Amino acid sequence: KNDVTDVLYREWLDNHMFEKGIAIFCGPVRHNERKKGIYLNGIDLDNESAIREFCNIKGIQYTLEELAERGDIIVEQHVDDKTRAHVYVWSKEPFNKKAATPTNDTNIPRIEVKGKPEDGLMFVTPSVHKNGCRYQFIGKCLKAIREPVFHDDIVQHINEILNKYNITYLNGETKRERATTRLSIKNGE
């Protein structure tokens, strides 16, 4: 009942209401009774490696555009830099925060996750990115906005990606640390 219609959204754009941009807090939906108890999670894919890894699902490599066309996730990019993207997914529980991985190594996926308001803002379409180009939705994002599909499993997918690169996320230890712990226990240490 409080959904923003396409017409209203277009009117806002035509009246330049977002001239300087817009930002959101991820977390519980508060503006829409139909979506009470649902969480919006933001995933910031900050390099090509992050996009490639995120789009590799159960060994099948998709493009970001292919995932966006499914209409069950929200994807946005700024057209001047296709090596970065924001992905938004609905879930029944908020995703744990993951700060950006501080690295200049382009082979390591830079993934940031926000699932609660205290995790920080996400600048969204039609905001202007700090590099000068506007964020734009790609794919069937309006369907994903209107008809939530739950993706609580994506947090595990992200965890597996990060574990592969020995980056700590959900359980506080990497695959390498778990293997070392098991080996120590096995050897009686």
Side-chain angles (χ1 to χ4, degrees):
K1 112 184 166 191
N2 291 325
D3 280 343
V4 173
T5 65
D6 290 344
V7 173
L8 182 56
Y9 180 68
R10 283 278 149 224
E11 183 181 315
W12 288 347
L13 288 177
D14 292 344
N15 290 320
H16 308 287
M17 292 185 69
F18 306 118
E19 197 63 34
K20 294 183 180 179
I22 188 170
I24 63 168
F25 287 110
C26 293
V29 175
R30 294 189 170 100
H31 73 284
N32 184 318
E33 279 301 317
R34 283 183 317 121
K35 294 178 183 170
K36 289 281 184 188
I38 298 176
Y39 292 84
L40 180 68
N41 301 279
I43 304 159
D44 195 350
L45 305 172
D46 264 345
N47 62 10
E48 282 182 278
S49 177
I51 291 172
R52 184 181 59 255
E53 289 286 358
F54 184 82
C55 293
N56 187 325
I57 301 170
K58 297 181 181 173
I60 300 171
Q61 189 66 54
Y62 297 94
T63 66
L64 195 58
E65 291 78 11
E66 287 172 324
L67 292 183
E69 280 300 316
R70 293 183 344 188
D72 62 342
I73 63 173
I74 303 160
V75 181
E76 63 182 5
Q77 285 187 303
H78 38 102
V79 295
D80 65 329
D81 187 356
K82 296 288 191 170
T83 66
R84 297 168 177 242
H86 291 164
V87 176
Y88 299 93
V89 298
W90 302 106
S91 66
K92 294 178 182 175
E93 296 293 326
F95 288 6
N96 289 351
K97 180 179 180 173
K98 162 68 179 78
T101 304
T103 182
N104 291 325
D105 185 342
T106 57
N107 296 312
I108 295 176
R110 290 186 49 131
I111 300 174
E112 186 176 357
V113 180
K114 296 177 180 178
K116 300 178 198 113
E118 58 268 24
D119 296 345
L121 291 169
M122 298 279 293
F123 288 92
V124 298
T125 300
S127 297
V128 176
H129 186 267
K130 63 184 175 188
N131 294 345
C133 201
R134 287 192 183 278
Y135 289 99
Q136 296 179 351
F137 289 127
I138 64 172
K140 297 180 180 170
C141 66
L142 291 178
K143 179 181 178 193
I145 292 168
R146 287 191 191 110
E147 303 168 22
V149 173
F150 298 111
H151 286 289
D152 291 85
D153 56 330
I154 286 182
V155 74
Q156 288 300 329
H157 177 59
I158 294 167
N159 192 51
E160 288 169 13
I161 293 167
L162 296 171
N163 252 320
K164 190 165 129 181
Y165 293 87
N166 291 309
I167 300 169
T168 302
Y169 179 41
L170 289 182
N171 56 7
E173 63 181 348
T174 65
K175 203 184 304 183
R176 180 181 297 157
E177 290 167 334
R178 278 197 307 279
T180 303
T181 302
R182 278 193 219 110
L183 184 61
S184 296
I185 291 169
K186 200 180 217 180
N187 292 333
E189 296 175 9

